[in-house]
Amino acid sequence: MSKNPLDKKIGILGAGQLGKMLFQASTKLNLDISFLDSSVEMPVGRISDRVYIGNFKDYDDVIAFGADKDVISIEIEAVNVDALQQLENDGKQVFPQPSVVRLIQDKGTQKEFFRINELVSPSFQLVESKEHLQSSIDSGDITFPFVQKLRRDGYDGRGVCVINTKQDMDDAFDSPCVIEDLVDISKELSVIVARGKSGEIAVYDPVEMVVNPEANVLDFQLAPAAIDKAKSDEAKKLAIDTANKLEIVGLLAVELFLDINNELWINELAPRAHNSGHHSIESCQTSQYEQQLRCILGLPLGSTALLSPSLLMNILGDPHHTGPAIYQGLAACLEKKGVHPHLYGKTITKPMRKMGHITIVNSNLEEAKDIYHYIKSTLKVISHE
Ligand code: ADP
């Protein structure tokens, strides 16, 4: 007889902040959930003793961790997919499916998937090395300007380089890359879709990421995005089409660009809970984390309705401090209306390290922006070492 979904033993690869928020959601349903990561000092380890030490990129560690689990999922996609595939072959439920994780791990295969399925995404070519890139430029196959992206292991913009002219070629990566047309971006959007085991869909409203162009990091995020209903519906439809074409079970974050001509383009995918869905904890009927658990356990999906608009900001380590973290000014920020802090519990702060986030829930997003500016000038993550 198959187990009651609520009794299934769940194993999660990764015990970072996304894992911590997944654990917090799991306590509502009193689930049996444990995590695999390199240290009990990871964020989950601060609130749960169910962190097993191992490397989620190592085949044997993942197999050993998965052996007594019923359902295996992820909070990070840079995991050993061969092991996930083996666990699936052994009859374990692995969501998102290993084939989907494999496809998304590589921006090259992601882009080919968009092309094959006619999902609008900037035109691209694949190159193997800087030499290959240079010869494609010399032959006229690739023309300036373009965006170069590492096929693997780039994150938070660190594997992305805009090459405008020949002079920028000094900065070009010498690795297998995607070379992509530059989009004239007017807004960066993200849509989170949840897809259940029978293909049922729950989609969140698009959110808008306001990026700091100098540091190439998120300044803040607005939910909902300031776009009209028709564009919002179009973005949601694109995200749903993508999830259906992938046949993913679980969460899919679809990052999109809205260009200056009001056209939408898919940028990239993440097959898991995403920074752009943190607001759903306070802002939506069902958080993305609870939704992930519902998907992987085969439970009914929850409503994605927005309870209140919100502004989300990351709490980053001060650029001049490294060492045990001190959250200077946090108490003053808590006096402001609608401020929901999430400190991830990372012991050591480093320059620009993501130490937490704050969701400012407010029906008036202009007022939320004032509170954001106050917090930005008041809260500092420093260290006395
Ligand atoms: P990462 O996986 O590191 O988050 P992204 O593909 O999201 O990388 O790119 C990081 C940022 O670079 C995007 O948020 C966007 O601001 C910019 N960018 C990426 N692709 C393009 C593009 N084709 N045209 C213009 N800007 C881009």
Side-chain angles (χ1 to χ4, degrees):
M1 222 175 72
S2 71
K3 262 191 191 173
N4 179 320
L6 297 178
D7 294 333
K8 286 185 178 166
K9 282 171 82 83
I10 306 168
I12 304 291
L13 302 187
Q17 60 260 27
L18 302 175
K20 182 179 174 191
M21 289 179 268
L22 195 60
F23 175 76
Q24 288 170 319
S26 78
T27 62
K28 281 169 76 179
L29 291 167
N30 200 34
L31 300 175
D32 180 332
I33 187 165
S34 41
F35 297 80
L36 177 70
D37 213 322
S38 57
S39 150
V40 291
E41 298 288 311
M42 294 299 292
V44 177
R46 302 296 297 258
I47 56 167
S48 164
D49 57 5
R50 305 287 296 280
V51 178
Y52 292 84
I53 304 303
N55 180 353
F56 49 67
K57 294 187 179 178
D58 181 86
Y59 181 88
D60 293 331
D61 285 0
V62 173
I63 295 284
F65 175 71
D68 65 344
K69 309 295 182 297
D70 301 305
V71 184
I72 296 125
S73 191
I74 56 171
E75 64 120 41
I76 180 167
E77 61 268 32
V79 295
N80 190 298
V81 188
D82 291 337
L84 286 181
Q85 188 61 65
Q86 185 58 48
L87 289 167
E88 189 183 69
N89 297 348
D90 293 344
K92 305 280 180 193
Q93 300 201 295
V94 184
F95 301 126
Q97 303 91 320
S99 56
V100 174
V101 179
R102 197 185 294 283
L103 185 144
I104 290 180
Q105 274 183 343
D106 176 346
K107 286 190 181 182
T109 53
Q110 252 190 71
K111 298 285 299 188
E112 279 165 345
F113 165 82
F114 296 147
R115 181 144 71 191
I116 292 163
N117 290 287
E118 297 177 356
L119 295 159
V120 278
S121 174
S123 306
F124 73 99
Q125 295 184 47
L126 301 179
V127 297
E128 291 307 316
S129 61
K130 194 166 176 173
E131 196 187 334
H132 184 187
L133 171 60
Q134 188 59 58
S135 68
S136 301
I137 293 170
D138 294 342
S139 67
D141 287 345
I142 291 176
T143 50
F144 297 110
F146 56 80
V147 184
Q148 185 187 25
K149 299 182 177 181
L150 291 179
R151 286 184 65 162
R152 290 182 171 276
D153 300 328
Y155 65 99
D156 286 348
R158 264 167 266 195
V160 176
C161 183
V162 176
I163 308 278
N164 284 306
T165 61
K166 184 161 94 187
Q167 283 71 34
D168 295 339
M169 282 297 287
D170 289 346
D171 300 330
F173 302 117
D174 187 14
S175 299
C177 280
V178 173
I179 304 296
E180 194 174 282
D181 283 358
L182 195 64
V183 176
D184 267 333
I185 300 173
S186 98
K187 285 182 191 294
E188 299 204 25
L189 308 173
S190 174
V191 178
I192 310 260
V193 195
R195 188 171 178 280
K197 284 188 190 173
S198 344
E200 66 277 30
I201 291 276
V203 61
Y204 291 85
D205 286 327
V207 300
E208 178 176 341
M209 271 99 62
V210 181
V211 177
N212 177 326
E214 279 142 50
N216 205 7
V217 291
L218 179 82
D219 255 345
F220 56 82
Q221 171 197 292
L222 299 174
I227 52 176
D228 62 33
K229 167 112 183 24
K231 265 303 142 195
S232 170
D233 288 346
E234 192 185 326
K236 286 193 212 171
K237 183 172 180 311
L238 254 179
I240 294 171
D241 286 349
T242 309
N244 282 334
K245 290 268 161 58
L246 277 173
E247 296 182 14
I248 189 172
V249 174
L251 295 179
L252 184 72
V254 182
E255 292 184 28
L256 301 147
F257 300 136
L258 183 65
D259 74 12
I260 53 170
N261 300 316
N262 213 26
E263 300 287 335
L264 286 170
W265 303 88
I266 299 179
N267 175 29
E268 61 166 354
L269 309 176
R272 53 168 169 80
H274 194 249
N275 209 89
S276 63
H278 289 338
H279 71 290
S280 60
I281 297 174
E282 288 90 8
S283 237
C284 300
Q285 287 280 6
T286 312
S287 79
Q288 64 168 347
Y289 300 99
E290 182 175 334
Q291 205 75 275
Q292 178 175 355
L293 295 166
R294 289 176 179 231
C295 287
I296 67 174
L297 293 175
L299 294 167
L301 303 186
S303 160
T304 55
L306 197 69
L307 295 170
S308 166
S310 63
L311 181 153
L312 183 135
M313 61 190 289
N314 286 324
I315 303 177
L316 300 177
D318 185 275
H320 307 294
H321 288 258
T322 300
I326 297 166
Y327 298 87
Q328 195 180 57
L330 183 62
C333 299
L334 293 179
E335 284 176 14
K336 297 285 174 188
K337 182 174 133 190
V339 167
H340 297 267
H342 290 257
L343 301 183
Y344 300 151
K346 298 177 183 176
T347 356
I348 302 295
T349 183
K350 296 178 195 165
M352 306 309 277
R353 187 176 193 197
K354 262 189 218 164
M355 301 299 286
H357 74 262
I358 293 180
T359 306
I360 306 167
V361 174
N362 198 314
S363 54
N364 178 343
L365 285 177
E366 289 310 312
E367 206 174 292
K369 280 182 201 164
D370 290 342
I371 298 173
Y372 157 78
H373 287 296
Y374 174 79
I375 295 176
K376 214 168 168 208
S377 60
T378 306
L379 177 60
K380 302 262 176 277
V381 190
I382 59 161
S383 179
H384 289 323
E385 274 187 8

